[in-house]
Amino acid sequence: NEPMITFTTTTRYFAAASNDITLGKWFVDESKAQAHVDALNREWNGARTFTLKSWVQESFTAHQA
């Protein structure tokens, strides 16, 4: 049996959120995410408010040695 090697990656993601619920695309580029939030706020014109939410997420990949 070959051993498995596991790699861990931590990435910060950004997304538009309304009432603290993220929706739509996830971005790794904060300025692109902010532009998306601004566009949604213009589109909804106050009927709903969107904010920028960010979080860090870990992902794991395993490879056979």
Side-chain angles (χ1 to χ4, degrees), residues 4 8 16 25 34-35 47 49 53 57 64:
M4 294 294 278
T8 305
K25 296 190 278 189
Q34 185 61 60
T49 306
K53 185 176 173 104
Q57 188 159 314
Q64 211 156 14

Side-chain angles (χ1 to χ4, degrees), residues 29-40:
D29 183 323
E30 185 175 2
S31 61
K32 286 183 181 175
Q34 185 61 60
H36 182 64
V37 167
D38 295 344
L40 283 168

Side-chain angles (χ1 to χ4, degrees), residues 2-7 60-65:
E2 298 295 326
M4 294 294 278
I5 299 171
T6 304
F7 297 94
F60 303 92
T61 46
H63 299 274
Q64 211 156 14

Side-chain angles (χ1 to χ4, degrees), residues 19-56:
N19 294 331
D20 209 37
I21 299 167
T22 61
L23 66 160
K25 296 190 278 189
W26 292 8
F27 297 86
V28 290
D29 183 323
E30 185 175 2
S31 61
K32 286 183 181 175
Q34 185 61 60
H36 182 64
V37 167
D38 295 344
L40 283 168
N41 280 322
R42 278 193 305 275
E43 186 180 330
W44 282 82
N45 199 21
R48 180 171 277 183
T49 306
F50 297 89
T51 56
L52 186 66
K53 185 176 173 104
S54 75
W55 67 97
V56 173

